[in-house]
Amino acid sequence: MKVVVPSARPGTNRPIEIVPSVLPADFARLGDEVMALEKAGVDRIQWDVMDGRFVPNLTFGPDVIAACRPHASVPFEAHLMVEDPDLLLPRYVEAGCSLLIVHAESTRHLHRTLGRVGELGAAAAVAINPATPPSAVAHVLDLCAMVLVMTVNPGFGGQDYITTMEPKISAVRRLVLDGGFDCDVEVDGGIGPKTVSGAAAAGANVLVAGSSLFRDTAGLEHAVGELRSLGTSAARPPEGEPA
Ligand code: DX5
């Protein structure tokens, strides 16, 4: 009988996905930037919605996202860094987002809010800030297509990756595997060529990147390809499964 010893870094055989954050994009030409990202081969596009209250920064709302929707066919996800996310949920779905990411710290009734996203016909995801433990999402994974483990404190691009989040990424992957949930694990913040391998090896399969994509002098396509190949070679299959 094959004995499978759970390792501290559970792997995943879910495909590596590259998701750009548009925060470093040229806001005066967002439609063109979205087209360029799609051409560079990204899997989805993340819109960092900030309300100046949940995080100390203010970005854009559903109208800007809706204006860019016709410029690309890749799926859009809205990362809602807002107090009281219930307020505008339908507006993000109407704007063309097929995945809504709600922060566990932003609502009293997380289970209800995630259920509401599903009722609106979108996929739901839950995000946790660096200080929030994996246990905060353990009882809502059945409602989620994805868990986002923030690898920076949210609010700004260009921050340093918090390496001490890697055991937490693994703990979230462990929760997903042990529960048999069909759920991606996303990381966001400071992801680039030097940090992506650690995150993927820890169990993340969806990699959000902003500044490392837009500042790559070899261009977006090169940056996306490099992150995907580094992430893919660092990712490991779950215990007991062939590589
Ligand atoms: C920060 C945002 C991130 C950020 C990522 O609150 O959620 O998406 O824009 O940017 P980089 O990759 O530059 O850290």
Side-chain angles (χ1 to χ4, degrees), residues 166-211:
E166 289 176 2
K168 187 162 86 167
I169 297 167
S170 298
V172 168
R173 176 56 71 192
R174 161 76 39 220
L175 276 176
V176 167
L177 283 173
D178 291 354
F181 296 109
D182 180 15
C183 199
D184 286 320
V185 176
E186 183 176 65
V187 287
D188 180 10
I191 298 294
K194 292 200 178 78
T195 56
V196 65
S197 303
N205 69 296
V206 183
L207 312 165
V208 176
S211 41

Short mmCIF file of all heavy atoms in Angstrom, two decimals, residues 166-211:
data_model
loop_
_atom_site.label_atom_id
_atom_site.label_comp_id
_atom_site.label_asym_id
_atom_site.label_seq_id
_atom_site.Cartn_x
_atom_site.Cartn_y
_atom_site.Cartn_z
N GLU A 166 4.72 32.47 2.19
CA GLU A 166 4.75 31.18 1.50
C GLU A 166 4.17 30.03 2.34
O GLU A 166 3.38 29.24 1.81
CB GLU A 166 6.17 30.89 0.99
CG GLU A 166 6.50 31.82 -0.19
CD GLU A 166 7.90 31.72 -0.74
OE1 GLU A 166 8.69 30.87 -0.26
OE2 GLU A 166 8.21 32.51 -1.66
N PRO A 167 4.48 29.93 3.65
CA PRO A 167 3.81 28.87 4.43
C PRO A 167 2.29 29.04 4.44
O PRO A 167 1.55 28.05 4.47
CB PRO A 167 4.40 29.05 5.84
CG PRO A 167 5.69 29.78 5.63
CD PRO A 167 5.49 30.65 4.44
N LYS A 168 1.83 30.29 4.35
CA LYS A 168 0.37 30.50 4.34
C LYS A 168 -0.23 30.07 2.99
O LYS A 168 -1.33 29.49 2.94
CB LYS A 168 0.04 31.97 4.62
CG LYS A 168 -1.45 32.20 4.80
CD LYS A 168 -1.76 33.51 5.49
CE LYS A 168 -1.83 34.65 4.51
NZ LYS A 168 -2.43 35.87 5.14
N ILE A 169 0.50 30.32 1.91
CA ILE A 169 0.03 29.84 0.59
C ILE A 169 -0.13 28.32 0.65
O ILE A 169 -1.14 27.76 0.21
CB ILE A 169 1.05 30.23 -0.51
CG1 ILE A 169 1.19 31.74 -0.64
CG2 ILE A 169 0.68 29.59 -1.85
CD1 ILE A 169 2.39 32.19 -1.49
N SER A 170 0.87 27.66 1.24
CA SER A 170 0.81 26.19 1.35
C SER A 170 -0.34 25.74 2.23
O SER A 170 -1.02 24.76 1.92
CB SER A 170 2.14 25.66 1.91
OG SER A 170 3.20 25.97 1.05
N ALA A 171 -0.58 26.47 3.30
CA ALA A 171 -1.68 26.09 4.21
C ALA A 171 -3.02 26.23 3.50
O ALA A 171 -3.92 25.39 3.67
CB ALA A 171 -1.62 26.98 5.46
N VAL A 172 -3.15 27.26 2.67
CA VAL A 172 -4.40 27.43 1.92
C VAL A 172 -4.53 26.31 0.88
O VAL A 172 -5.60 25.71 0.73
CB VAL A 172 -4.45 28.82 1.24
CG1 VAL A 172 -5.59 28.91 0.23
CG2 VAL A 172 -4.59 29.92 2.30
N ARG A 173 -3.44 25.99 0.17
CA ARG A 173 -3.47 24.88 -0.79
C ARG A 173 -3.82 23.57 -0.09
O ARG A 173 -4.59 22.76 -0.60
CB ARG A 173 -2.13 24.77 -1.50
CG ARG A 173 -1.98 23.62 -2.47
CD ARG A 173 -3.03 23.56 -3.56
NE ARG A 173 -2.85 24.63 -4.54
CZ ARG A 173 -3.78 24.93 -5.45
NH1 ARG A 173 -4.94 24.29 -5.46
NH2 ARG A 173 -3.56 25.89 -6.32
N ARG A 174 -3.31 23.40 1.10
CA ARG A 174 -3.61 22.20 1.90
C ARG A 174 -5.11 22.13 2.21
O ARG A 174 -5.73 21.08 2.07
CB ARG A 174 -2.75 22.24 3.16
CG ARG A 174 -3.19 21.37 4.29
CD ARG A 174 -2.92 19.90 4.13
NE ARG A 174 -1.63 19.65 3.51
CZ ARG A 174 -1.44 18.71 2.61
NH1 ARG A 174 -2.44 17.97 2.20
NH2 ARG A 174 -0.27 18.51 2.07
N LEU A 175 -5.69 23.29 2.63
CA LEU A 175 -7.13 23.34 2.93
C LEU A 175 -7.95 22.93 1.70
O LEU A 175 -8.90 22.16 1.79
CB LEU A 175 -7.53 24.76 3.33
CG LEU A 175 -7.35 25.24 4.76
CD1 LEU A 175 -7.75 26.72 4.87
CD2 LEU A 175 -8.20 24.40 5.72
N VAL A 176 -7.53 23.45 0.56
CA VAL A 176 -8.25 23.17 -0.69
C VAL A 176 -8.14 21.68 -1.04
O VAL A 176 -9.13 21.03 -1.36
CB VAL A 176 -7.70 24.05 -1.84
CG1 VAL A 176 -8.19 23.58 -3.20
CG2 VAL A 176 -8.05 25.52 -1.60
N LEU A 177 -6.92 21.15 -0.95
CA LEU A 177 -6.70 19.74 -1.33
C LEU A 177 -7.44 18.81 -0.37
O LEU A 177 -8.17 17.92 -0.79
CB LEU A 177 -5.21 19.42 -1.29
CG LEU A 177 -4.34 19.91 -2.45
CD1 LEU A 177 -2.86 19.66 -2.16
CD2 LEU A 177 -4.75 19.23 -3.76
N ASP A 178 -7.28 19.06 0.95
CA ASP A 178 -7.90 18.16 1.94
C ASP A 178 -9.42 18.18 1.85
O ASP A 178 -10.08 17.19 2.11
CB ASP A 178 -7.45 18.54 3.36
CG ASP A 178 -5.96 18.23 3.58
OD1 ASP A 178 -5.36 17.62 2.67
OD2 ASP A 178 -5.42 18.64 4.62
N GLY A 179 -9.97 19.35 1.46
CA GLY A 179 -11.43 19.46 1.35
C GLY A 179 -11.95 19.01 0.00
O GLY A 179 -13.16 18.97 -0.21
N GLY A 180 -11.05 18.75 -0.94
CA GLY A 180 -11.46 18.32 -2.28
C GLY A 180 -12.16 19.44 -3.04
O GLY A 180 -13.00 19.19 -3.90
N PHE A 181 -11.81 20.70 -2.73
CA PHE A 181 -12.47 21.83 -3.40
C PHE A 181 -11.83 22.11 -4.76
O PHE A 181 -10.62 21.98 -4.93
CB PHE A 181 -12.38 23.08 -2.52
CG PHE A 181 -13.12 22.94 -1.22
CD1 PHE A 181 -12.42 22.84 -0.02
CD2 PHE A 181 -14.49 22.89 -1.19
CE1 PHE A 181 -13.09 22.69 1.18
CE2 PHE A 181 -15.18 22.75 0.00
CZ PHE A 181 -14.48 22.63 1.19
N ASP A 182 -12.65 22.51 -5.73
CA ASP A 182 -12.18 22.88 -7.07
C ASP A 182 -11.82 24.36 -7.04
O ASP A 182 -12.62 25.22 -7.42
CB ASP A 182 -13.31 22.60 -8.08
CG ASP A 182 -12.90 22.97 -9.50
OD1 ASP A 182 -11.68 23.15 -9.72
OD2 ASP A 182 -13.81 23.11 -10.35
N CYS A 183 -10.67 24.68 -6.56
CA CYS A 183 -10.34 26.05 -6.21
C CYS A 183 -8.90 26.41 -6.55
O CYS A 183 -7.97 25.70 -6.17
CB CYS A 183 -10.54 26.16 -4.68
SG CYS A 183 -10.73 27.80 -4.05
N ASP A 184 -8.71 27.50 -7.28
CA ASP A 184 -7.37 28.00 -7.57
C ASP A 184 -6.82 28.74 -6.35
O ASP A 184 -7.58 29.23 -5.50
CB ASP A 184 -7.41 29.00 -8.74
CG ASP A 184 -7.62 28.32 -10.08
OD1 ASP A 184 -7.04 27.25 -10.30
OD2 ASP A 184 -8.41 28.87 -10.91
N VAL A 185 -5.49 28.86 -6.30
CA VAL A 185 -4.86 29.70 -5.29
C VAL A 185 -4.06 30.77 -6.01
O VAL A 185 -3.16 30.46 -6.80
CB VAL A 185 -3.95 28.89 -4.34
CG1 VAL A 185 -3.23 29.81 -3.35
CG2 VAL A 185 -4.76 27.83 -3.58
N GLU A 186 -4.45 32.02 -5.79
CA GLU A 186 -3.83 33.16 -6.47
C GLU A 186 -2.94 33.91 -5.49
O GLU A 186 -3.25 33.96 -4.29
CB GLU A 186 -4.92 34.10 -7.02
CG GLU A 186 -4.42 35.29 -7.81
CD GLU A 186 -5.58 36.13 -8.41
OE1 GLU A 186 -6.36 36.72 -7.63
OE2 GLU A 186 -5.71 36.15 -9.66
N VAL A 187 -1.86 34.50 -5.99
CA VAL A 187 -1.04 35.39 -5.20
C VAL A 187 -0.92 36.72 -5.93
O VAL A 187 -0.98 36.76 -7.16
CB VAL A 187 0.37 34.80 -4.93
CG1 VAL A 187 0.32 33.68 -3.92
CG2 VAL A 187 1.04 34.34 -6.23
N ASP A 188 -0.74 37.76 -5.13
CA ASP A 188 -0.76 39.11 -5.71
C ASP A 188 0.10 40.04 -4.87
O ASP A 188 -0.15 40.20 -3.68
CB ASP A 188 -2.22 39.60 -5.71
CG ASP A 188 -2.40 40.99 -6.27
OD1 ASP A 188 -1.44 41.53 -6.84
OD2 ASP A 188 -3.52 41.52 -6.14
N GLY A 189 1.13 40.66 -5.52
CA GLY A 189 1.95 41.61 -4.81
C GLY A 189 3.42 41.22 -4.85
O GLY A 189 3.81 40.20 -4.30
N GLY A 190 4.23 42.01 -5.59
CA GLY A 190 5.66 41.75 -5.64
C GLY A 190 6.05 40.51 -6.45
O GLY A 190 7.16 40.00 -6.31
N ILE A 191 5.13 40.02 -7.29
CA ILE A 191 5.42 38.83 -8.09
C ILE A 191 6.25 39.23 -9.31
O ILE A 191 5.86 40.11 -10.07
CB ILE A 191 4.13 38.12 -8.53
CG1 ILE A 191 3.34 37.62 -7.32
CG2 ILE A 191 4.44 36.97 -9.49
CD1 ILE A 191 4.02 36.50 -6.52
N GLY A 192 7.40 38.58 -9.48
CA GLY A 192 8.29 38.86 -10.60
C GLY A 192 9.24 37.69 -10.77
O GLY A 192 9.12 36.68 -10.06
N PRO A 193 10.22 37.81 -11.70
CA PRO A 193 11.13 36.68 -11.96
C PRO A 193 11.87 36.16 -10.73
O PRO A 193 12.17 34.97 -10.65
CB PRO A 193 12.11 37.28 -12.98
CG PRO A 193 11.33 38.37 -13.64
CD PRO A 193 10.44 38.94 -12.57
N LYS A 194 12.11 37.02 -9.74
CA LYS A 194 12.87 36.58 -8.56
C LYS A 194 11.98 35.94 -7.49
O LYS A 194 12.47 35.24 -6.60
CB LYS A 194 13.62 37.77 -7.93
CG LYS A 194 14.76 38.31 -8.79
CD LYS A 194 15.74 39.13 -7.92
CE LYS A 194 16.91 39.64 -8.75
NZ LYS A 194 16.53 40.83 -9.58
N THR A 195 10.67 36.16 -7.55
CA THR A 195 9.80 35.70 -6.46
C THR A 195 8.79 34.64 -6.91
O THR A 195 8.23 33.94 -6.08
CB THR A 195 9.02 36.91 -5.89
OG1 THR A 195 8.30 37.53 -6.96
CG2 THR A 195 9.95 37.91 -5.22
N VAL A 196 8.55 34.54 -8.22
CA VAL A 196 7.46 33.68 -8.70
C VAL A 196 7.68 32.21 -8.36
O VAL A 196 6.72 31.49 -8.03
CB VAL A 196 7.27 33.87 -10.23
CG1 VAL A 196 8.47 33.39 -11.02
CG2 VAL A 196 5.99 33.21 -10.71
N SER A 197 8.92 31.75 -8.38
CA SER A 197 9.18 30.32 -8.12
C SER A 197 8.81 29.93 -6.70
O SER A 197 8.20 28.88 -6.47
CB SER A 197 10.65 30.01 -8.39
OG SER A 197 10.98 30.37 -9.72
N GLY A 198 9.12 30.80 -5.74
CA GLY A 198 8.77 30.51 -4.35
C GLY A 198 7.27 30.39 -4.16
O GLY A 198 6.77 29.48 -3.49
N ALA A 199 6.52 31.29 -4.81
CA ALA A 199 5.06 31.28 -4.68
C ALA A 199 4.46 30.04 -5.34
O ALA A 199 3.57 29.39 -4.77
CB ALA A 199 4.48 32.55 -5.29
N ALA A 200 4.98 29.69 -6.52
CA ALA A 200 4.44 28.52 -7.24
C ALA A 200 4.79 27.23 -6.50
O ALA A 200 3.96 26.34 -6.36
CB ALA A 200 4.97 28.49 -8.66
N ALA A 201 6.02 27.15 -5.99
CA ALA A 201 6.44 25.95 -5.26
C ALA A 201 5.63 25.79 -3.98
O ALA A 201 5.38 24.68 -3.52
CB ALA A 201 7.93 26.02 -4.93
N ALA A 202 5.16 26.89 -3.42
CA ALA A 202 4.36 26.86 -2.19
C ALA A 202 2.92 26.40 -2.45
O ALA A 202 2.21 26.08 -1.52
CB ALA A 202 4.36 28.22 -1.51
N GLY A 203 2.51 26.42 -3.76
CA GLY A 203 1.18 25.93 -4.07
C GLY A 203 0.27 26.89 -4.82
O GLY A 203 -0.89 26.57 -5.10
N ALA A 204 0.77 28.08 -5.16
CA ALA A 204 -0.04 29.04 -5.93
C ALA A 204 -0.01 28.66 -7.40
O ALA A 204 1.02 28.25 -7.92
CB ALA A 204 0.50 30.45 -5.75
N ASN A 205 -1.18 28.79 -8.10
CA ASN A 205 -1.17 28.51 -9.54
C ASN A 205 -1.63 29.69 -10.37
O ASN A 205 -1.50 29.66 -11.60
CB ASN A 205 -2.00 27.25 -9.86
CG ASN A 205 -3.48 27.48 -9.65
OD1 ASN A 205 -3.94 27.73 -8.53
ND2 ASN A 205 -4.24 27.42 -10.72
N VAL A 206 -2.16 30.74 -9.71
CA VAL A 206 -2.55 31.95 -10.44
C VAL A 206 -1.67 33.09 -9.93
O VAL A 206 -1.64 33.35 -8.73
CB VAL A 206 -4.04 32.29 -10.27
CG1 VAL A 206 -4.41 33.52 -11.10
CG2 VAL A 206 -4.92 31.11 -10.65
N LEU A 207 -0.95 33.71 -10.85
CA LEU A 207 0.09 34.67 -10.48
C LEU A 207 -0.26 36.05 -11.02
O LEU A 207 -0.29 36.26 -12.23
CB LEU A 207 1.43 34.18 -11.05
CG LEU A 207 1.73 32.69 -10.79
CD1 LEU A 207 2.84 32.19 -11.67
CD2 LEU A 207 2.03 32.48 -9.32
N VAL A 208 -0.56 36.98 -10.10
CA VAL A 208 -0.87 38.36 -10.49
C VAL A 208 0.43 39.16 -10.47
O VAL A 208 1.22 39.04 -9.53
CB VAL A 208 -1.88 39.01 -9.54
CG1 VAL A 208 -2.10 40.48 -9.89
CG2 VAL A 208 -3.18 38.24 -9.53
N ALA A 209 0.65 39.94 -11.52
CA ALA A 209 1.85 40.78 -11.56
C ALA A 209 1.51 42.11 -12.21
O ALA A 209 0.75 42.16 -13.17
CB ALA A 209 2.97 40.08 -12.32
N GLY A 210 2.09 43.17 -11.64
CA GLY A 210 1.89 44.50 -12.20
C GLY A 210 3.21 45.07 -12.69
O GLY A 210 3.56 44.93 -13.87
N SER A 211 3.99 45.64 -11.78
CA SER A 211 5.20 46.36 -12.20
C SER A 211 6.20 45.46 -12.92
O SER A 211 6.83 45.89 -13.89
CB SER A 211 5.85 47.04 -10.99
OG SER A 211 5.81 46.20 -9.88
#
